[in-house]
Amino acid sequence: MKVTELAKEFGTTPDTVRYYTRLKLLNPAKSVNGYKSYSNKEVSRLKFILSARNLGFSVADIKEIINESEDGKSACPLVRSLIKERLEETEKQFQAMLALRGKMSSALSRWEEMEDKAPTANMVCHLIENFEQIKKA
Amino acid sequence: MKVTELAKEFGTTPDTVRYYTRLKLLNPAKSVNGYKSYSNKEVSRLKFILSARNLGFSVADIKEIINESEDGKSACPLVRSLIKERLEETEKQFQAMLALRGKMSSALSRWEEMEDKAPTANMVCHLIENFEQIKKA
DNA sequence: TTTAAACCTGTGTGTAAGACACAGGTCAAG
DNA sequence: CTTGACCTGTGTCTTACACACAGGTTTAAA
């Protein structure tokens, strides 16, 4: 299988496949003409990678998981521990986005009934600069 | 004012100040010794930048806003239009994170009562690979 | 068989928003 | 005058790919 064929097989892009290949998550043989040739093993490997990405694992995580399994060990304990970390991070980011969304939406509605103002020497836009004060130390 | 002083003034890092300076959002004079010297104007400029970042504007947005205001025009219309875009993006990302969080958390709890398995030729980790099927084309 | 268009290849670089590394400069205390 | 602490600018690294590009391959028509 060539790069583009493999990518289409799972609805991803050739660039993504090439990226994983550069990181040696996939290890295709070299075809006569220098093209990369992916075997069935690579196909299921890619499927695994995409599933893991879908679940929030980083590419570095995935590399670690694969290394573990190539040592013949069960990757399950590692996988459980990693997803705990990632879930915590996701939760933090989620809360941050929740707060940001609220701020943005409140700014938007407040700004719709405020007038335009020309900039001054030390004020670029009064909408932004008066919305929330950044505290000085 | 030197880089570190300015950074501390607003609870940010010298690297951040240097980054904005590289992008010419801040335009310090050069001190005799080659150090950058920030005036009062730069101080309020940084405050503006941090406020805008806080509200979800990208650094590129901020550059655009500053350019507008340096042409003497009111940046308010641009600011309103930009925040609408950014809010939409944020909303999309928010929904994506919500879904991801759900998936991760359900995976975590499901995996806690599943056994470890050794890897096989075409299976790296059954927890991940059996969680959700990636569809073939 | 020749040729041309369409498609594909690998490699190299660009992206956002800073964080980090590093060799050297500056400054106060002794 | 020297030490040590702190600071400086510049350059590189990060994530997870997307994009650009010069050239190779394949298919179809001529």
Side-chain angles (χ1 to χ4, degrees):
Chain A
M1 270 223 215
K2 283 181 282 181
V3 167
T4 302
E5 287 171 322
L6 179 54
K8 277 188 184 149
E9 184 86 3
F10 294 107
T12 185
T13 71
D15 280 319
T16 297
V17 172
R18 281 197 268 259
Y19 176 59
Y20 297 151
T21 304
R22 274 184 231 197
L23 297 185
K24 313 211 174 167
L25 297 182
L26 298 173
N27 301 294
K30 278 174 219 266
S31 211
V32 209
N33 49 16
Y35 287 9
K36 281 144 187 165
S37 170
Y38 297 85
S39 71
N40 281 343
K41 198 185 164 195
E42 256 72 52
V43 174
S44 50
R45 178 65 70 87
L46 177 58
K47 186 182 156 195
F48 165 72
I49 297 171
L50 295 175
S51 303
R53 292 285 301 126
N54 231 310
L55 275 165
F57 292 96
S58 72
V59 172
D61 289 341
I62 295 171
K63 181 150 205 184
E64 211 183 328
I65 294 168
I66 288 177
N67 285 345
E68 190 80 357
S69 88
E70 294 207 318
D71 288 353
K73 305 181 209 158
S74 170
C76 300
L78 176 59
V79 163
R80 289 195 198 88
S81 134
L82 283 174
I83 204 169
K84 254 174 243 177
E85 290 179 48
R86 298 298 157 257
L87 178 55
E88 278 174 39
E89 293 168 8
T90 300
E91 181 64 28
K92 267 183 205 160
Q93 293 172 30
F94 176 79
Q95 295 299 336
M97 293 214 54
L98 184 59
L100 179 60
R101 185 180 70 152
K103 237 189 312 190
M104 293 177 84
S105 137
S106 120
L108 177 56
S109 64
R110 226 193 285 178
W111 292 350
E112 268 170 348
E113 48 201 37
M114 286 176 70
E115 53 177 346
D116 293 1
K117 272 194 192 171
T120 71
N122 42 4
M123 172 94 72
V124 175
C125 173
H126 74 118
L127 299 179
I128 291 173
E129 275 158 283
N130 292 331
F131 183 76
E132 218 179 39
Q133 231 58 16
I134 295 275
K135 55 188 177 305
K136 280 205 186 185
Chain B
M1 272 227 214
K2 284 181 283 182
V3 167
T4 303
E5 287 172 320
L6 179 56
K8 277 188 185 151
E9 185 86 3
F10 293 107
T12 185
T13 71
D15 280 321
T16 298
V17 172
R18 280 196 268 260
Y19 177 59
Y20 296 154
T21 304
R22 273 183 232 198
L23 297 185
K24 311 214 175 167
L25 296 182
L26 297 173
N27 301 294
K30 279 176 217 267
S31 211
V32 208
N33 48 17
Y35 287 9
K36 279 144 187 167
S37 170
Y38 297 85
S39 71
N40 282 342
K41 197 185 166 194
E42 257 73 50
V43 175
S44 50
R45 177 64 69 88
L46 177 58
K47 186 182 157 196
F48 166 72
I49 297 172
L50 295 174
S51 303
R53 292 285 299 127
N54 231 310
L55 275 165
F57 292 96
S58 73
V59 172
D61 289 342
I62 295 171
K63 182 149 207 186
E64 212 183 329
I65 294 169
I66 288 177
N67 286 345
E68 189 82 356
S69 88
E70 292 206 320
D71 289 353
K73 305 182 209 156
S74 170
C76 301
L78 176 58
V79 163
R80 289 195 197 88
S81 135
L82 283 174
I83 204 168
K84 251 173 248 180
E85 289 179 49
R86 297 301 158 252
L87 178 55
E88 278 175 39
E89 293 169 9
T90 300
E91 181 64 28
K92 266 183 207 161
Q93 293 173 30
F94 177 79
Q95 296 299 336
M97 294 215 51
L98 184 59
L100 179 59
R101 186 179 69 151
K103 237 189 310 190
M104 293 177 84
S105 138
S106 119
L108 177 55
S109 64
R110 227 193 285 180
W111 292 350
E112 267 169 350
E113 49 201 37
M114 286 177 71
E115 54 179 346
D116 293 0
K117 273 194 193 172
T120 71
N122 43 3
M123 170 95 70
V124 175
C125 172
H126 74 117
L127 300 180
I128 291 173
E129 275 158 283
N130 290 332
F131 183 76
E132 217 180 41
Q133 231 57 16
I134 295 274
K135 57 189 176 304
K136 282 206 185 186

